[in-house]
Amino acid sequence: MKAFLILTVLLIGGFSLFIYSGIYNVAASEPHLDAVEWIMETTRDRSVRRHADKAPGPPEREEANFREGFRHYDEMCVICHSAPGIEQSEISKGQNPEPPDLGEEVLKWSREELFWIVKNGLKMTGMPAFGLSHSDREIGDIVGFITRLPDISPQEYAGLREEMGRENSVGHSH
């Protein structure tokens, strides 16, 4: 028992020394250590799955309003997450962790988990909590749109922008 107590005090002391020393580089221009990245990703994934299971999911609707979801995505999300045929923005290139390509990322999460992420945001990632400014219905529309991103071609995305009068509102087309 005494050895456990000594080990605990040494670990806490070492961890405190590490934190207060400022030795860990927090610059967004430098990648995290592999261990730190693993801790952050594992914590994020487990937390989202746990909390999304307990939270109310997207509102029951026959189908999300695809065009409204597109409008919200194009106004708020494309700046960080890009879109088919849209070059990664300068803001996105400077973030650490780098915002994921949602055309790939949506395949890893359930609709309920995506709803929870969009509504609540993710600490230390730059992902805001849109539940503070958007209704569940609007968030459901965004989720409905992003779940279809893997199947949207650059030409289709450009067509949606043109249709909505948003030809080159954010980012650059290829």
Side-chain angles (χ1 to χ4, degrees):
M1 181 65 171
K2 187 176 180 182
F4 176 74
L5 184 59
I6 291 170
L7 181 61
T8 302
V9 168
L10 287 174
L11 284 172
I12 291 171
F15 192 63
S16 296
L17 184 62
F18 175 76
I19 290 170
Y20 284 101
S21 73
I23 198 167
Y24 186 77
N25 188 352
V26 296
S29 58
E30 296 293 323
H32 284 294
L33 296 173
D34 289 343
V36 172
E37 192 169 323
W38 178 84
I39 289 167
M40 290 173 63
E41 288 177 2
T42 302
T43 301
R44 176 202 62 213
D45 293 354
R46 303 291 169 120
S47 178
V48 168
R49 289 196 167 92
R50 176 185 175 120
H51 290 91
D53 281 349
K54 296 177 182 175
E60 290 295 322
R61 294 174 66 190
E62 290 172 20
E63 186 171 327
N65 185 327
F66 179 80
R67 296 231 179 316
E68 273 302 296
F70 164 79
R71 185 180 66 76
H72 285 292
Y73 183 87
D74 200 56
E75 288 175 358
M76 302 177 316
C77 309
V78 75
I79 190 82
C80 292
H81 294 287
S82 195
I86 305 296
E87 189 178 311
Q88 189 180 20
S89 74
E90 291 178 17
I91 289 172
S92 178
K93 291 176 185 176
Q95 288 185 304
N96 186 357
E98 184 177 323
D101 174 343
L102 293 184
E104 296 172 11
E105 192 72 14
V106 298
L107 303 173
K108 300 175 187 175
W109 301 99
S110 72
R111 186 171 167 78
E112 291 75 21
E113 291 164 344
L114 291 167
F115 182 84
W116 189 91
I117 291 168
V118 174
K119 183 172 182 165
N120 296 287
L122 296 171
K123 291 178 181 174
M124 298 185 295
T125 67
M127 176 63 196
F130 287 113
L132 300 174
S133 57
H134 291 73
S135 70
D136 284 357
R137 183 179 196 126
E138 290 169 317
I139 293 169
D141 290 342
I142 295 166
V143 170
F145 175 77
I146 65 173
T147 58
R148 292 176 58 187
L149 266 175
D151 302 320
I152 297 174
S153 72
Q155 296 77 17
E156 290 170 308
Y157 196 88
L160 286 166
R161 274 188 150 186
E162 196 172 311
E163 194 178 299
M164 301 287 281
R166 300 183 54 77
E167 294 174 40
N168 286 312
S169 57
V170 179
H172 304 286
S173 295
H174 284 198

